[in-house]
Amino acid sequence: MNKSSTNQRLPRAKGIDMGTYYTPKECAKKVRHLVLPDMNRKIVEEFIAILGMRGIFEEHRVPIPNKVVMYGPPGTGKTLTAFYMAQMLELPLILVRLDAIIHSHLGETGSNIRKIFEYAKASPCVLFLDEFDAIARTRESNDEVKEMARAVNTLLQCLDDFGDNSIFVAATNLENELDRAIWRRFDTKMIYSNPDESSRRQYVELLINDFERDAGLMEEACERLSGCSFADIEQIVLKAKRKAIIEHCPLKRKHIVLSYEEYYPSIKEPKQLNS
């Protein structure tokens, strides 16, 4: 893949850029605490390896994958995966702004979709569209606005004509809402869920790192945070560390307990941890 960038300006709508531009270096800073489940890590590693063997795959007439859809609950690492892929491919990441893309005027949403895809075709990048269901919602619903149905048609055309200079990555929490024709355009699919015990422990260790703490805190914190998303865990641990800093003391059980109760993650049966 050609990693050279162009000076082409991002397209604009409503007076703002349609996306936010991140350099590979900026992407690297965002993924310092990324923990990928084994299956998703293998998928990403294989995806990147294939892109590095373009000539061999072309020789065998095997298409190069460049469209990824990620789905699962919020806060489970989908966005960070997109940043990680951009970092590993040494490509800029363009985070599409839905507030700029979606327009109430007839035909404008489809036109904006086409413009951002044309930008990505001309400027090698990882084009990332979060909350993908906002523009890729099924056309089968009787309540579907005709304008958005037309936008889905445009999106399908853009995916078919995307070429192979860039990578398109989409993420959604509502995979069942996506149009069935959209699903068929993706060559790589990744499922996300809340972290299991191993991933949770790895993530808590990354977050606490060398911060002074009571003996045994790591194990108890991991048990307490069972069922939380990565985003929940991050907020609770950071809140607990702030409490410890204010009190000028090591990180204690009570800091995790209070932070958990204050943050109140939406978990049906939270684990108990005595203070």
Side-chain angles (χ1 to χ4, degrees), residues 184-234:
R184 295 197 295 270
R185 266 58 180 188
F186 288 95
D187 44 55
T188 305
K189 299 179 175 71
M190 301 174 67
I191 305 173
Y192 285 75
S193 60
N194 287 336
D196 59 15
E197 182 179 354
S198 175
S199 296
R200 186 168 62 252
R201 177 178 295 276
Q202 185 180 351
Y203 193 56
V204 171
E205 288 177 347
L206 283 172
L207 292 173
I208 295 180
N209 198 8
D210 57 357
F211 198 94
E212 187 178 1
R213 58 186 182 270
D214 282 353
L217 176 72
M218 185 74 71
E219 290 73 18
E220 296 183 52
C222 288
E223 180 181 355
R224 175 68 177 190
L225 297 171
S226 176
C228 291
S229 68
F230 286 114
D232 290 337
I233 293 171
E234 180 181 29

Coordinates of all heavy atoms in Angstrom, one line a residue, residues 184-234:
R184 N -22.6 -7.5 3.2 CA -21.9 -8.3 2.2 C -20.7 -7.6 1.6 O -19.9 -8.2 1.0 CB -22.9 -8.7 1.1 CG -24.0 -9.6 1.5 CD -24.7 -10.2 0.3 NE -25.4 -9.3 -0.5 CZ -26.7 -8.9 -0.4 NH1 -27.4 -9.4 0.6 NH2 -27.2 -8.0 -1.2
R185 N -20.6 -6.3 1.9 CA -19.5 -5.5 1.3 C -18.2 -5.7 2.2 O -17.2 -5.2 1.7 CB -19.9 -4.0 1.2 CG -20.4 -3.6 -0.2 CD -21.7 -4.4 -0.6 NE -22.1 -3.9 -1.9 CZ -23.3 -4.3 -2.4 NH1 -24.0 -5.2 -1.8 NH2 -23.6 -3.9 -3.6
F186 N -18.3 -6.2 3.3 CA -17.2 -6.3 4.2 C -16.5 -7.6 4.1 O -17.2 -8.7 4.2 CB -17.6 -6.0 5.7 CG -18.0 -4.6 5.9 CD1 -19.3 -4.2 5.9 CD2 -17.0 -3.7 6.2 CE1 -19.6 -2.8 6.1 CE2 -17.3 -2.3 6.5 CZ -18.6 -1.9 6.4
D187 N -15.2 -7.6 4.0 CA -14.4 -8.9 3.9 C -13.9 -9.3 5.2 O -13.4 -10.4 5.4 CB -13.3 -8.7 2.9 CG -12.5 -7.4 3.0 OD1 -12.1 -7.1 4.1 OD2 -12.4 -6.7 2.0
T188 N -13.9 -8.4 6.2 CA -13.4 -8.7 7.5 C -14.4 -8.3 8.6 O -14.8 -7.1 8.6 CB -12.1 -8.1 7.8 OG1 -11.2 -8.4 6.8 CG2 -11.5 -8.5 9.1
K189 N -14.8 -9.2 9.5 CA -15.8 -8.9 10.5 C -15.2 -9.2 11.9 O -14.6 -10.3 12.1 CB -17.1 -9.6 10.3 CG -17.8 -9.3 9.0 CD -19.1 -10.1 8.9 CE -19.9 -9.7 7.6 NZ -19.2 -10.1 6.4
M190 N -15.3 -8.3 12.9 CA -14.8 -8.5 14.2 C -15.9 -8.3 15.2 O -16.5 -7.3 15.2 CB -13.6 -7.6 14.4 CG -12.5 -7.8 13.4 SD -11.1 -6.5 13.6 CE -10.5 -7.0 15.2
I191 N -16.0 -9.3 16.2 CA -17.0 -9.2 17.2 C -16.3 -8.8 18.5 O -15.2 -9.3 18.9 CB -17.7 -10.6 17.4 CG1 -18.3 -11.1 16.1 CG2 -18.8 -10.5 18.5 CD1 -18.8 -12.5 16.2
Y192 N -16.9 -7.9 19.2 CA -16.4 -7.4 20.5 C -17.4 -7.6 21.6 O -18.6 -7.7 21.4 CB -16.1 -5.9 20.4 CG -14.9 -5.5 19.6 CD1 -14.9 -5.6 18.2 CD2 -13.7 -5.2 20.2 CE1 -13.8 -5.4 17.5 CE2 -12.6 -4.9 19.5 CZ -12.6 -5.0 18.1 OH -11.5 -4.8 17.4
S193 N -16.8 -7.9 22.8 CA -17.6 -8.1 24.0 C -16.9 -7.5 25.2 O -15.7 -7.1 25.1 CB -17.9 -9.5 24.2 OG -16.7 -10.3 24.3
N194 N -17.5 -7.5 26.4 CA -16.8 -7.0 27.6 C -15.7 -8.0 27.9 O -15.7 -9.2 27.6 CB -17.8 -7.0 28.7 CG -18.7 -5.8 28.6 OD1 -18.5 -4.8 28.0 ND2 -19.9 -6.0 29.3
P195 N -14.6 -7.5 28.4 CA -13.4 -8.3 28.6 C -13.6 -9.5 29.6 O -14.3 -9.4 30.6 CB -12.4 -7.3 29.2 CG -13.2 -6.2 29.8 CD -14.4 -6.1 28.9
D196 N -12.9 -10.6 29.2 CA -13.0 -11.8 30.1 C -11.9 -11.6 31.2 O -11.3 -10.5 31.3 CB -12.7 -13.1 29.3 CG -11.3 -13.0 28.6 OD1 -10.5 -12.1 28.9 OD2 -11.1 -13.8 27.7
E197 N -11.8 -12.6 32.0 CA -10.9 -12.4 33.2 C -9.5 -12.1 32.8 O -8.8 -11.2 33.4 CB -10.9 -13.7 34.1 CG -10.1 -13.6 35.3 CD -10.1 -14.8 36.2 OE1 -10.9 -15.7 35.9 OE2 -9.4 -14.9 37.2
S198 N -8.9 -12.7 31.8 CA -7.6 -12.5 31.4 C -7.4 -11.1 30.8 O -6.4 -10.4 31.2 CB -7.2 -13.6 30.3 OG -5.9 -13.3 29.8
S199 N -8.3 -10.7 29.9 CA -8.2 -9.3 29.4 C -8.4 -8.3 30.4 O -7.7 -7.2 30.4 CB -9.2 -9.2 28.2 OG -9.0 -10.1 27.2
R200 N -9.3 -8.5 31.3 CA -9.6 -7.6 32.4 C -8.3 -7.4 33.3 O -7.9 -6.2 33.6 CB -10.7 -8.0 33.3 CG -11.2 -7.0 34.3 CD -12.5 -7.4 34.9 NE -12.5 -8.7 35.6 CZ -13.1 -9.8 35.1 NH1 -13.7 -9.8 34.0 NH2 -13.0 -10.9 35.8
R201 N -7.7 -8.5 33.7 CA -6.5 -8.4 34.5 C -5.4 -7.6 33.7 O -4.7 -6.8 34.3 CB -6.0 -9.8 34.9 CG -4.7 -9.8 35.6 CD -4.3 -11.2 36.0 NE -5.3 -11.8 36.9 CZ -5.3 -11.6 38.2 NH1 -4.4 -10.9 38.8 NH2 -6.2 -12.2 39.0
Q202 N -5.2 -8.0 32.5 CA -4.2 -7.3 31.7 C -4.4 -5.8 31.6 O -3.5 -5.0 31.7 CB -4.1 -7.9 30.3 CG -3.0 -7.4 29.4 CD -3.0 -8.0 28.0 OE1 -3.8 -9.0 27.8 NE2 -2.2 -7.5 27.1
Y203 N -5.7 -5.4 31.4 CA -6.0 -4.0 31.3 C -5.8 -3.3 32.6 O -5.3 -2.1 32.7 CB -7.5 -3.9 30.8 CG -7.8 -2.5 30.3 CD1 -7.1 -1.8 29.3 CD2 -8.9 -1.8 30.9 CE1 -7.4 -0.6 28.9 CE2 -9.2 -0.5 30.4 CZ -8.4 0.1 29.5 OH -8.8 1.4 29.0
V204 N -6.3 -3.9 33.7 CA -6.1 -3.2 35.0 C -4.6 -3.0 35.3 O -4.2 -2.0 35.9 CB -6.8 -4.1 36.1 CG1 -6.5 -3.5 37.5 CG2 -8.3 -4.0 35.9
E205 N -3.8 -4.0 35.0 CA -2.4 -3.9 35.2 C -1.8 -2.7 34.4 O -0.9 -2.0 34.9 CB -1.7 -5.2 34.9 CG -1.9 -6.3 35.9 CD -1.3 -7.6 35.5 OE1 -0.9 -7.7 34.3 OE2 -1.3 -8.5 36.3
L206 N -2.3 -2.6 33.2 CA -1.8 -1.5 32.4 C -2.2 -0.1 33.0 O -1.4 0.8 33.0 CB -2.3 -1.6 30.9 CG -1.7 -2.6 30.0 CD1 -2.5 -2.7 28.7 CD2 -0.3 -2.2 29.7
L207 N -3.4 0.0 33.5 CA -3.9 1.2 34.0 C -3.2 1.6 35.4 O -2.9 2.7 35.6 CB -5.4 1.1 34.2 CG -6.2 1.1 33.0 CD1 -7.7 0.8 33.3 CD2 -6.1 2.4 32.1
I208 N -3.1 0.6 36.2 CA -2.4 0.9 37.5 C -0.9 1.0 37.4 O -0.3 1.9 38.0 CB -2.8 -0.2 38.6 CG1 -4.3 -0.2 38.8 CG2 -2.0 -0.1 39.8 CD1 -4.7 -1.3 39.8
N209 N -0.3 0.2 36.6 CA 1.1 0.2 36.2 C 1.9 0.2 37.5 O 1.8 -0.6 38.4 CB 1.3 1.4 35.3 CG 2.6 1.3 34.6 OD1 3.3 0.3 34.6 ND2 3.0 2.4 33.9
D210 N 2.8 1.3 37.7 CA 3.7 1.3 38.8 C 3.1 2.2 39.9 O 3.8 2.6 40.9 CB 5.1 1.8 38.4 CG 5.0 3.2 37.7 OD1 3.9 3.7 37.5 OD2 6.1 3.7 37.4
F211 N 1.8 2.5 39.9 CA 1.2 3.3 40.9 C 1.2 2.5 42.2 O 0.9 1.4 42.3 CB -0.2 3.6 40.5 CG -0.9 4.8 41.3 CD1 -0.8 6.1 40.8 CD2 -1.5 4.6 42.5 CE1 -1.4 7.1 41.4 CE2 -2.1 5.6 43.2 CZ -2.0 6.9 42.7
E212 N 1.7 3.2 43.3 CA 1.8 2.5 44.6 C 0.4 2.0 45.0 O -0.6 2.7 45.0 CB 2.3 3.4 45.7 CG 2.6 2.7 47.0 CD 3.3 3.6 48.0 OE1 3.5 4.8 47.7 OE2 3.6 3.2 49.1
R213 N 0.3 0.7 45.5 CA -1.0 0.2 45.9 C -0.8 -0.8 47.0 O 0.3 -1.3 47.3 CB -1.6 -0.6 44.7 CG -0.7 -1.7 44.1 CD -1.3 -2.2 42.8 NE -0.6 -3.3 42.2 CZ 0.4 -3.1 41.3 NH1 0.7 -1.9 40.9 NH2 1.0 -4.1 40.8
D214 N -1.9 -1.1 47.7 CA -1.9 -2.1 48.8 C -1.7 -3.5 48.2 O -2.1 -3.8 47.0 CB -3.3 -2.1 49.5 CG -3.4 -0.9 50.5 OD1 -2.4 -0.2 50.7 OD2 -4.5 -0.7 51.0
A215 N -1.1 -4.4 49.0 CA -0.9 -5.8 48.6 C -2.3 -6.4 48.3 O -3.2 -6.2 49.1 CB -0.2 -6.5 49.7
G216 N -2.3 -7.2 47.2 CA -3.6 -7.9 46.9 C -4.6 -7.1 46.2 O -5.7 -7.6 45.9
L217 N -4.4 -5.8 46.0 CA -5.4 -4.9 45.4 C -5.7 -5.3 44.0 O -6.9 -5.3 43.6 CB -4.9 -3.5 45.4 CG -5.9 -2.5 44.7 CD1 -7.1 -2.3 45.6 CD2 -5.2 -1.1 44.5
M218 N -4.7 -5.7 43.2 CA -4.9 -6.1 41.8 C -5.9 -7.2 41.7 O -6.9 -7.0 40.9 CB -3.6 -6.5 41.2 CG -3.7 -6.7 39.7 SD -3.8 -5.1 38.8 CE -2.1 -4.5 39.0
E219 N -5.8 -8.2 42.4 CA -6.7 -9.4 42.3 C -8.1 -9.0 42.7 O -9.1 -9.3 42.0 CB -6.2 -10.5 43.2 CG -4.9 -11.2 42.7 CD -3.7 -10.4 42.9 OE1 -3.7 -9.4 43.7 OE2 -2.7 -10.6 42.2
E220 N -8.3 -8.2 43.8 CA -9.6 -7.8 44.2 C -10.2 -6.8 43.3 O -11.4 -6.9 43.1 CB -9.5 -7.3 45.6 CG -9.0 -8.3 46.7 CD -9.0 -7.8 48.1 OE1 -10.0 -7.2 48.5 OE2 -8.0 -7.9 48.7
A221 N -9.4 -5.9 42.7 CA -10.0 -5.0 41.8 C -10.5 -5.7 40.5 O -11.6 -5.3 40.0 CB -8.9 -3.9 41.4
C222 N -9.7 -6.7 40.1 CA -10.2 -7.4 38.9 C -11.5 -8.2 39.1 O -12.4 -8.2 38.3 CB -9.1 -8.5 38.5 SG -7.6 -7.7 37.7
E223 N -11.6 -8.7 40.4 CA -12.9 -9.4 40.7 C -14.0 -8.3 40.8 O -15.1 -8.6 40.2 CB -12.8 -10.1 42.0 CG -14.0 -10.8 42.4 CD -13.9 -11.5 43.8 OE1 -12.8 -11.5 44.3 OE2 -14.9 -12.0 44.3
R224 N -13.8 -7.2 41.4 CA -14.8 -6.2 41.5 C -15.3 -5.7 40.1 O -16.5 -5.4 40.0 CB -14.3 -5.0 42.3 CG -15.2 -3.8 42.5 CD -16.4 -4.2 43.3 NE -17.3 -3.0 43.5 CZ -18.3 -3.0 44.3 NH1 -18.6 -4.0 45.1 NH2 -19.0 -1.9 44.4
L225 N -14.4 -5.6 39.2 CA -14.7 -5.0 37.9 C -15.2 -6.0 36.9 O -15.3 -5.7 35.7 CB -13.4 -4.3 37.4 CG -12.9 -3.1 38.2 CD1 -11.6 -2.6 37.8 CD2 -13.9 -2.0 38.2
S226 N -15.5 -7.2 37.3 CA -16.1 -8.2 36.4 C -17.4 -7.7 35.8 O -18.2 -7.2 36.5 CB -16.3 -9.5 37.2 OG -17.0 -10.5 36.4
G227 N -17.5 -7.9 34.5 CA -18.7 -7.5 33.8 C -18.6 -6.1 33.3 O -19.5 -5.7 32.5
C228 N -17.6 -5.3 33.6 CA -17.4 -4.0 33.1 C -16.8 -4.0 31.7 O -16.1 -4.9 31.4 CB -16.5 -3.2 34.0 SG -17.2 -2.8 35.7
S229 N -17.1 -2.9 31.0 CA -16.4 -2.8 29.7 C -15.0 -2.2 29.9 O -14.7 -1.7 31.1 CB -17.2 -1.8 28.8 OG -17.2 -0.5 29.3
F230 N -14.2 -2.1 28.9 CA -12.9 -1.5 29.1 C -13.0 0.0 29.4 O -12.3 0.5 30.3 CB -12.1 -1.6 27.7 CG -11.5 -3.0 27.5 CD1 -12.0 -3.7 26.4 CD2 -10.5 -3.5 28.3 CE1 -11.5 -5.0 26.1 CE2 -10.0 -4.8 28.0 CZ -10.5 -5.5 26.9
A231 N -14.0 0.6 28.8 CA -14.2 2.0 29.1 C -14.7 2.2 30.6 O -14.2 3.2 31.3 CB -15.3 2.6 28.2
D232 N -15.5 1.3 31.1 CA -15.9 1.4 32.5 C -14.7 1.2 33.4 O -14.5 2.0 34.4 CB -16.9 0.3 32.8 CG -18.3 0.6 32.2 OD1 -18.6 1.7 31.9 OD2 -19.0 -0.4 32.0
I233 N -13.9 0.2 33.1 CA -12.7 -0.1 33.9 C -11.8 1.1 34.0 O -11.3 1.5 35.0 CB -12.0 -1.3 33.4 CG1 -12.9 -2.6 33.6 CG2 -10.6 -1.5 34.1 CD1 -12.3 -3.8 32.9
E234 N -11.5 1.7 32.8 CA -10.6 2.9 32.8 C -11.1 4.0 33.7 O -10.4 4.6 34.5 CB -10.5 3.4 31.3 CG -9.6 4.6 31.2 CD -9.5 5.1 29.8 OE1 -10.4 4.9 29.0 OE2 -8.4 5.6 29.5

